[in-house]
Every structure is written in structure tokens, then in C-alpha cells.
Amino acid sequence: LSELEALMERMKRLQEDKEDEEASQEEMATRFEKEKKESLLVISGGIGALPVPFHLGVAFDDELVSTDVSRYIEDPGFGYKDFARRGEDHLPTFRAQDYTWENHGFSLVNRLYSDIGHLLDEKFRMVYNLTYNTMATHEDVDTTTLRRALFNYVHCMYGIRYDDYDYGEVNQLLERSLKVYIKTVTCYPERTTKRMYDSYWRQFKHSEKVHVNLLLMEARMQAELLYALRAITRHLT
């Protein structure tokens, strides 16, 4: 099977499995913890990775762009850091059910800056729901499962868990090279290269791959807002 056909087959199989039997809350929690720990081992802009002997067969280090971004920022040392140290047994988890954008963040940010919540919410929804119902040359395809996996994987990298989502879908739909690309674009965008962009979903249209980038950026922004707004809420109360 081609990469595209294999992905579509996995999407179909996931839907059938979901109709037959749903995973228990305990199983979904275990799958989230596994995915969260694994995301710490994904190396951005490199061979992305579980420990040796696992090998992706995708190397990007030779194409990393040595752009000096310090000229554009006030604090050159400011940047992404993993939310927990590798090797820790108990990694912190932000349970989305305890503080959601829809039920908490949206109203708070509107209080702080009138109407900005509506604008942000419209932006999140528009990017998340954007679809032509196509996958490369295939039409009338429901891509909801795939879009949700991309969005929720970014939140998983930030330690955010949705109790009603089965993170086993992430592992089945997002291959290792794509996870490397996701972490690089989301956490270290200055390291992204065209070779990395070309390395995944080779049969997809550019518009579909650009939509992936938009999803990743909006997911990151929402994750950052959730942490910031939760901290503000705790301070106010």
C-alpha cells in the first residue's frame, strides 16, 4: 500500500474499532501517559526517536538552517522547554476537563480584553474545521479523526489530556517522521527545513500540508493560553 492508502486504511479501521468497542478510561489514561512520555523523546530537527536500537531512517540534521534568530527577539535564551525532564516517573498532567478553553479560558480572556475571546475562538474553530473533505486524490473523505489526532498530539506534548479521547489513535495515525515534523514546527520552528516538509505525506497536496501547519500553530497557541489563563484564574481566586 502507498503511504496515503495505508493512512486511509488505518482511519477506517479506527472507526470500525470504535463502533465495535470503546476503550476504558483506565486504558485511555495509560495510552496518554505512554504518548506523553514518548513525545519527550522525539528529537526536533533530527532523527526523532525512541532510544537506540529504534531508528527512524529519517535524518535532517544536515539541512538545519543556521538562522540567527537573536536579532529578532529581546531575549535570545527564551524558547521552548519540555514540560518535564526525561526519565521522570510522574510527569505533570493538565486535565482539560478541569480547565477548558470553551468553559473557562474563553470567558476570562473576554473579561481581560473585550471581544478578544470571540476572535480567538473563531480562529480556533475555523482552522480546526477547515476541510475540503479530500485526502490527496481521494474525495468525500471525513478527515475529522486525523485533524483531531494532530491537534490533540500537540496538546499531549504540552501535558494536556482529554479524558474522552483515545490517544491510541495518535500512535496509529501519526508516523514517527510526522511526529518529528510536528515537534519541530510547534516547538522549534526556526529549525524546520523543506526536506522535513517533503518527508511526510508525499502524496498530499500542498494546501493540505499547509493546513497541518495551521492546525499545529493554533493548537500550540491554545495550549499556551490554557496554562496562562489557568494561572490567572488561580491568582484571582
Side-chain angles (χ1 to χ4, degrees):
L1 290 178
S2 69
E3 183 183 28
L4 172 62
E5 291 170 334
L7 177 58
M8 293 188 67
E9 181 63 29
R10 289 196 297 271
M11 290 173 61
K12 180 181 178 182
R13 189 166 59 246
L14 277 174
Q15 189 60 41
E16 292 173 348
D17 292 344
K18 188 178 296 184
E19 293 173 356
D20 293 339
E21 183 179 357
E22 290 190 4
S24 66
Q25 283 294 320
E26 184 178 353
E27 287 174 323
M28 290 198 290
T30 300
R31 290 170 185 173
F32 168 77
E33 291 299 325
K34 180 180 179 181
E35 199 65 48
K36 182 174 63 173
K37 290 180 180 179
E38 181 186 301
S39 72
L40 296 176
L41 300 174
V42 173
I43 303 171
S44 68
I47 52 175
L50 290 174
V52 177
F54 184 92
H55 188 274
L56 251 178
V58 182
F60 304 116
D61 294 304
D62 57 336
E63 283 201 4
L64 290 183
V65 180
S66 58
T67 304
D68 181 11
V69 297
S70 62
R71 73 187 75 174
Y72 305 113
I73 54 180
E74 295 181 0
D75 182 5
F78 183 81
Y80 170 83
K81 290 184 179 180
D82 285 321
F83 65 92
R85 294 179 180 177
R86 298 179 186 182
E88 287 186 0
D89 293 328
H90 303 289
L91 303 181
T93 296
F94 184 133
R95 294 182 72 252
Q97 277 65 21
D98 295 336
Y99 198 93
T100 66
W101 165 254
E102 292 81 5
N103 298 330
H104 305 91
F106 172 80
S107 57
L108 175 59
V109 80
N110 261 343
R111 281 172 50 199
L112 299 173
Y113 193 156
S114 180
D115 292 333
I116 192 66
H118 293 287
L119 296 174
L120 287 170
D121 191 62
E122 182 181 0
K123 187 161 70 83
F124 292 146
R125 291 178 185 275
M126 180 180 67
V127 171
Y128 187 85
N129 295 321
L130 180 64
T131 179
Y132 300 120
N133 294 313
T134 63
M135 286 181 66
T137 57
H138 295 265
E139 298 181 350
D140 299 320
V141 181
D142 183 357
T143 60
T144 303
T145 304
L146 188 56
R147 284 180 279 128
R148 183 170 58 236
L150 289 164
F151 197 92
N152 286 358
Y153 181 63
V154 173
H155 279 203
C156 178
M157 290 195 306
Y158 281 81
I160 299 174
R161 178 195 168 200
Y162 294 88
D163 290 345
D164 59 350
Y165 181 70
D166 183 359
Y167 288 85
E169 294 186 8
V170 169
N171 236 13
Q172 294 189 55
L173 296 177
L174 308 184
E175 60 194 28
R176 300 289 182 184
S177 59
L178 178 53
K179 287 182 177 180
V180 173
Y181 180 78
I182 290 171
K183 186 161 188 177
T184 306
V185 169
T186 306
C187 305
Y188 310 96
E190 73 280 1
R191 301 181 185 177
T192 310
T193 66
K194 186 176 185 300
R195 186 180 177 192
M196 296 178 66
Y197 172 86
D198 292 336
S199 71
Y200 79 97
W201 291 0
R202 294 174 179 84
Q203 295 168 298
F204 280 66
K205 301 173 185 175
H206 286 300
S207 60
E208 293 170 318
K209 298 178 76 167
V210 168
H211 184 206
V212 170
N213 287 358
L214 294 174
L215 272 172
L216 302 183
M217 293 296 96
E218 295 305 320
R220 186 188 76 170
M221 173 177 274
Q222 190 177 108
E224 293 168 339
L225 280 171
L226 285 173
Y227 275 102
L229 294 172
R230 185 181 66 167
I232 293 173
T233 299
R234 289 176 172 174
H235 175 73
L236 295 176
T237 57

